Amino acid sequence: MSINRSSQEFNVHHVADEWLNMMFEAGIDSSQVIFEITESLFMDRVSVQQQNIAKLHQQGLQLAIDDFGTGYSALNYLSRYPVGFIKIDKSFIVEVAQHEKARALVAVLINMAKVLDVQVVAEGVETSEQLQVLQELGCDFIQGYYFSKPLSLTDLQQFCQQQPG
């Protein structure tokens, strides 16, 4: 399960403990949770933020960089922090099937992530052509309207029941 978190939330002392306690009380294994955050969290280098990140990572929670490439993009944090996923922003995906430069840029992002042992999610996939290119480039996960628009809980349950395997 992926949950969007604001980098501001990480400024609160012991917020990691609070989140971990909530997961425990709800019977959720923290290793099954991914917090989606923006790149700015790694740029601030505020000690309380870093302590919260470390605590969550120690308990198995994974981190994903949301909207990757649209923010600071100081790539050195990918090797210094426990980032498990990058989510390539839709703005890079929209023309990946039509323009060679867009395809090359996405290929570079995917290859860079692979070298750093980080998995890649492509955001905003809407066409079968985009899906095909991303599969050819070795993208790990696809997210977007190609599969479904946002669903209510009831509709999501029905959608999942209709999927093969």
Side-chain angles (χ1 to χ4, degrees):
M1 173 180 16
S2 293
I3 303 168
N4 285 309
R5 301 264 45 142
S6 163
S7 60
Q8 300 300 325
E9 293 177 281
F10 284 81
N11 290 328
V12 178
H13 287 281
H14 307 293
V15 73
D17 291 323
E18 292 174 25
W19 289 332
L20 291 165
N21 285 336
M22 282 188 265
M23 285 182 254
F24 177 76
E25 289 173 6
I28 298 171
D29 180 353
S30 59
S31 68
Q32 300 299 309
V33 177
I34 301 168
F35 277 180
E36 295 183 15
I37 55 179
T38 61
E39 296 170 271
S40 64
L41 181 63
F42 297 105
M43 300 301 131
D44 293 341
R45 304 186 99 192
V46 176
S47 64
V48 68
Q49 291 176 342
Q50 303 311 311
Q51 290 168 3
N52 284 319
I53 289 170
K55 179 83 164 208
L56 293 168
H57 179 67
Q58 289 167 356
Q59 297 301 312
L61 191 134
Q62 300 178 71
L63 297 174
I65 306 299
D66 199 13
D67 302 326
F68 185 80
T70 62
Y72 298 96
S73 294
L75 302 176
N76 61 347
Y77 64 80
L78 286 177
S79 63
R80 289 186 294 146
Y81 295 106
V83 173
F85 302 85
I86 62 167
K87 296 183 73 177
I88 299 176
D89 188 71
K90 177 182 179 173
S91 63
F92 295 102
I93 303 304
V94 70
E95 295 183 339
V96 74
Q98 292 86 18
H99 295 92
E100 191 56 39
K101 284 187 179 179
R103 180 187 173 107
L105 182 56
V106 171
V108 166
L109 292 173
I110 291 171
N111 289 332
M112 175 202 60
K114 298 290 182 188
V115 167
L116 297 171
D117 198 28
V118 174
Q119 293 186 305
V120 179
V121 180
E123 295 182 308
V125 177
E126 297 182 358
T127 69
S128 60
E129 292 82 11
Q130 292 168 335
L131 175 63
Q132 181 179 350
V133 169
L134 291 163
Q135 287 174 327
E136 290 170 6
L137 294 175
C139 188
D140 299 299
F141 301 98
I142 307 297
Q143 175 182 332
Y145 285 179
Y146 177 77
F147 298 104
S148 176
K149 294 194 181 328
L151 301 171
S152 68
L153 177 58
T154 303
D155 291 340
L156 174 63
Q157 290 169 333
Q158 184 178 14
F159 176 82
C160 290
Q161 290 172 351
Q162 294 172 351
Q163 299 307 305

